[in-house]
């Protein structure tokens, strides 16, 4: 066999340790950053803590110029909406970080250890089509057509990846409905008679299961009551929705990274100065090192390390502040009026407003909190998906559905189609199944199960 060599062009990004450190700074929460800086102060004698009143405007100006260093990184496809099958690997995603508050990010980070880049990109697209619980937001046939154009793959390949998600690490993710979600989870259970019967119940008799009618189930399945109880007990061990919560950490305390308040008719935004100590290079040490005789390479290395740390912190704070200002500006109505006023807002819109990539916005908002007159809320909560065919967000419609149900007469609860009609009178046109989806997300039972008779009301009174 004759060995040959051929040139090959490729596009890549070489991340320096300093740039990796700056990217990592983006993802640190306020307590994590405080711990990081205190450790740096202990090990590097060239650093000193800066008093809050010291002026750092010049440093922030320099940070804006430096921000492009990490912002030129390629974006993960699940944030950028990029094409499937890209050759690059987002090296920044391999930077050590705490568990993300975004379930999509956590799942994709886990899958990246086993899946190839092409399937991972398709999986990311499927997760983009899911609601907060992990269910698909549109009919499967429509999504197959949409995915063919977006991912440039046929429906069969799309479905293969969906099935891998459905029966993967978080069983039930990307399910069409609750029945498919529960069946996927059930398929992961050890084989038994109870599992077989439970699968039949979920496939053919979900309505009887919802009514807790074990006698009717036993009759329909032609089995005894004990077998039905065993199958139902197995079903009750399954998760109502597939999205897993972020791992809880002991002694986790929410510290707001940013503060927003209303003054003189306008909203003001500032970093929480009490949450993070500021550090700077000790001026006398830097001057002494400049004129020091002999070999001081070790100290010069510490000086470079200190400069990159200070610069990285300043860049992080500047990016966080600019992002928070845009979020507060776009969601003023929500901060003033509540959930029903939250406007549709995406990562891309915020990224365009501050001149950065969506991946940067995603990193800087993960695990960060904003203190407002309405309470302390996570920055991620200020993003909302636009409801298809409407000018409002899904989160706002969900809040409207909750208000209508909260205000309904106890003896005459509102059916899903009635709620859809009431919303249409307010200029919000949604399908009955959309109302049902939001009602399920709010863990509210159907109208027939919410009805309370006069006798029950009298007894409760």
């Amino acid at each position: 066999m004759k060995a040959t060599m051929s040139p090959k062009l490729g596009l890549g990004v070489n991340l320096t340790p300093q740039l990796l450190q700056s990217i990592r700074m983006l993802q640190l929460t306020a307590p994590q950053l405080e711990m990081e800086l205190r450790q740096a102060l202990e090990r590097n004698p060239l650093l000193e803590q800066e008093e809050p009143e010291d002026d750092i405007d010049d440093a922030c100006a320099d940070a804006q110029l430096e921000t492009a260093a990490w912002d030129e990184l390629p974006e993960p496809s699940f944030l950028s909406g990029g094409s499937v099958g890209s050759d690059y690997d987002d090296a920044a995603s391999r930077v050590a970080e705490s568990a993300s508050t975004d379930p999509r990010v956590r799942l994709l980070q886990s899958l990246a250890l086993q899946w190839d880049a092409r399937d991972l990109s398709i999986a990311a697209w499927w997760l983009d089509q899911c609601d907060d619980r992990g269910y698909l937001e549109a009919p499967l046939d429509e999504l197959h057509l949409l995915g063919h154009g977006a991912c440039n793959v046929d429906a069969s390949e799309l479905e293969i990846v969906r099935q891998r998600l459905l029966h993967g690490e978080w069983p039930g993710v990307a399910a069409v409905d609750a029945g498919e979600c529960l069946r996927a989870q059930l398929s992961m259970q050890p084989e038994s008679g109870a599992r077989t019967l439970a699968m039949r119940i979920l496939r053919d008799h979900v309505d009887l299961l919802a009514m807790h009618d074990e006698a009717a189930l036993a009759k329909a399945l032609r089995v005894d009551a004990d077998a039905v109880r065993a199958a139902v007990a197995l079903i009750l061990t399954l998760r109502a929705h597939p999205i897993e919560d972020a791992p809880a950490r002991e002694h986790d305390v929410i510290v707001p990274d940013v503060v927003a308040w209303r003054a003189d008719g306008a909203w003001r935004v500032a970093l929480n100065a009490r949450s993070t100590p500021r550090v700077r290079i000790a001026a006398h040490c830097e001057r002494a090192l400049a004129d020091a005789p002999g070999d001081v390479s070790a100290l010069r290395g510490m000086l470079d390390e200190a400069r990159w740390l200070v610069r990285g912190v300043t860049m992080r704070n500047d990016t966080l502040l600019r992002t928070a200002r845009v979020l507060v500006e776009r969601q003023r109505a929500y901060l003033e009026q509540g959930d029903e006023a939250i406007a549709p807002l995406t990562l891309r819109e915020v990224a365009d407003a501050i001149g950065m990539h969506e991946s940067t916005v995603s990193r800087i908002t993960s695990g960060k909190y904003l203190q407002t007159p309405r309470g302390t809320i996570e920055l991620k909560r200020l993003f909302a998906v636009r409801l298809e065919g409407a000018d409002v967000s899904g989160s706002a419609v969900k809040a409207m559905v909750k208000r209508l149900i909260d205000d309904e007469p106890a003896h005459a609860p509102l059916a899903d189609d009635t709620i859809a009609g009431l919303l249409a009178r307010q200029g919000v046109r949604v399908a009955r199944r959309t109302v049902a989806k939001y009602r399920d997300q709010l863990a509210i039972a159907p109208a027939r199960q919410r009805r309370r008779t006069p006798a029950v009301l009298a007894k409760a009174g």
Side-chain angles (χ1 to χ4, degrees):
M1 179 181 292
K2 183 179 178 181
T4 60
M5 296 181 62
S6 60
K8 182 180 180 181
L9 294 176
L11 182 62
V13 177
N14 184 25
L15 298 180
T16 64
Q18 293 86 355
L19 186 52
L20 286 172
Q21 180 190 44
S22 297
I23 297 169
R24 181 172 175 272
M25 288 286 182
L26 283 175
Q27 300 169 142
L28 296 180
T29 63
Q32 291 169 342
L33 182 59
E34 179 179 8
M35 182 179 297
E36 183 102 356
L37 295 183
R38 294 200 184 283
Q39 291 174 351
L41 286 167
E42 292 176 1
R43 68 173 181 265
N44 194 329
L46 300 182
L47 286 170
E48 65 180 11
Q49 187 164 345
E50 183 180 2
E51 296 302 323
E53 62 268 21
D54 287 346
D55 188 8
I56 60 164
D57 289 342
D58 292 340
C60 285
D62 293 339
Q64 293 182 18
L65 298 177
E66 295 288 345
T67 300
W70 73 53
D71 205 43
E72 291 173 359
L73 292 173
E75 302 172 75
S77 60
F78 65 93
L79 294 176
S80 65
S83 60
V84 172
S86 301
D87 290 333
Y88 66 76
D89 176 23
D90 182 21
S93 67
R94 298 193 299 267
V95 179
E97 60 177 88
S98 60
S100 172
T101 55
D102 188 337
R104 296 185 316 154
V105 175
R106 298 200 308 275
L107 179 55
L108 288 168
Q109 284 173 341
S110 177
L111 295 180
L113 301 175
Q114 308 169 25
W115 290 32
D116 60 37
R118 181 180 179 83
D119 287 351
L120 193 66
S121 297
I122 299 175
W125 182 85
W126 276 117
L127 294 179
D128 282 341
Q129 314 312 313
C130 296
D131 59 25
D132 293 340
R133 301 173 304 160
Y135 294 136
L136 295 177
E137 294 192 294
L140 193 57
D141 291 343
E142 292 182 15
L143 291 176
H144 282 162
L145 291 174
L146 182 63
H148 175 68
C151 302
N152 195 28
V153 295
D154 57 31
S156 61
E157 188 170 354
L158 282 168
E159 186 60 21
I160 288 172
V161 173
R162 188 181 80 89
Q163 290 296 326
R164 289 182 67 187
L165 281 173
L166 194 64
H167 299 89
E169 292 197 24
W170 293 1
V173 168
V176 172
D177 52 30
E180 187 178 39
C181 171
L182 294 175
R183 289 195 298 272
Q185 294 180 55
L186 196 59
S187 67
M188 312 293 283
Q189 299 284 339
E191 189 170 347
S192 66
R195 191 190 80 163
T196 301
L197 190 58
M199 194 69 78
R200 290 177 59 192
I201 292 173
L202 292 175
R203 186 179 60 246
D204 303 323
H205 303 290
V206 174
D207 53 341
L208 296 178
L209 176 66
M211 296 170 63
H212 306 286
D213 194 338
E214 294 183 358
L217 280 171
K219 181 177 180 181
L221 295 167
R222 297 181 181 179
V223 296
D224 57 46
D226 289 340
V228 169
R229 278 193 288 272
V232 170
L234 181 57
I235 293 173
L236 293 176
T237 65
L238 306 177
R239 295 173 61 90
H241 55 82
I243 291 295
E244 295 185 358
D245 297 328
R249 296 187 294 272
E250 291 186 10
H251 313 300
D252 214 8
V253 177
I254 293 179
V255 178
D257 302 80
V258 193
V259 179
W261 70 99
R262 189 170 175 82
D264 301 325
W267 281 91
R268 309 293 175 83
V269 182
L271 296 178
N272 182 5
R274 297 181 179 180
S275 66
T276 305
R278 301 189 184 279
V279 294
R280 65 183 176 191
I281 300 171
H284 64 281
C285 292
E286 192 170 12
R287 287 194 299 267
L289 188 57
D291 302 327
D295 183 10
V296 290
S297 56
L299 289 175
R300 292 192 186 282
M302 297 180 74
L303 178 61
D304 290 339
E305 179 185 335
R307 285 172 174 166
W308 271 102
L309 178 67
V310 172
R311 183 175 298 174
V313 172
T314 307
M315 292 164 65
R316 170 202 182 269
N317 291 344
D318 174 71
T319 304
L320 177 58
L321 182 59
R322 289 197 289 151
T323 301
R325 283 173 174 165
V326 172
L327 290 171
V328 169
E329 174 64 24
R330 299 291 179 90
Q331 297 294 9
R332 285 180 300 173
Y334 163 71
L335 295 175
E336 294 170 2
Q337 302 170 32
D339 290 340
E340 292 188 26
I342 190 166
L345 185 63
T346 64
L347 286 170
R348 183 177 294 278
E349 290 175 304
V350 176
D352 290 344
I354 64 175
M356 292 185 177
H357 284 161
E358 292 169 76
S359 55
T360 301
V361 175
S362 179
R363 292 185 183 107
I364 200 62
T365 53
S366 293
K368 311 300 191 305
Y369 288 84
L370 173 70
Q371 181 177 312
T372 75
R374 301 191 68 84
T376 299
I377 59 178
E378 190 176 9
L379 288 178
K380 287 282 189 183
R381 186 176 171 185
L382 296 178
F383 294 100
V385 178
R386 183 182 301 277
L387 191 65
E388 185 176 358
D391 294 326
V392 297
S393 68
S395 299
V397 175
K398 187 190 298 186
M400 295 177 190
V401 170
K402 184 178 186 304
R403 172 177 54 80
L404 289 172
I405 293 177
D406 288 344
D407 295 342
E408 70 186 3
H411 65 282
L414 302 175
D416 294 340
D417 53 354
T418 303
I419 294 175
L422 293 173
L423 291 175
R425 293 182 186 178
Q426 301 178 36
V428 180
R429 300 190 177 278
V430 296
R432 182 203 61 79
R433 65 179 181 85
T434 302
V435 173
K437 178 183 71 173
Y438 289 143
R439 178 177 51 72
D440 286 342
Q441 291 178 7
L442 293 165
I444 297 175
R448 64 177 181 276
Q449 296 181 24
R450 300 198 306 272
R451 182 179 292 108
R452 300 174 66 187
T453 63
V456 173
L457 292 173
K459 184 176 180 180

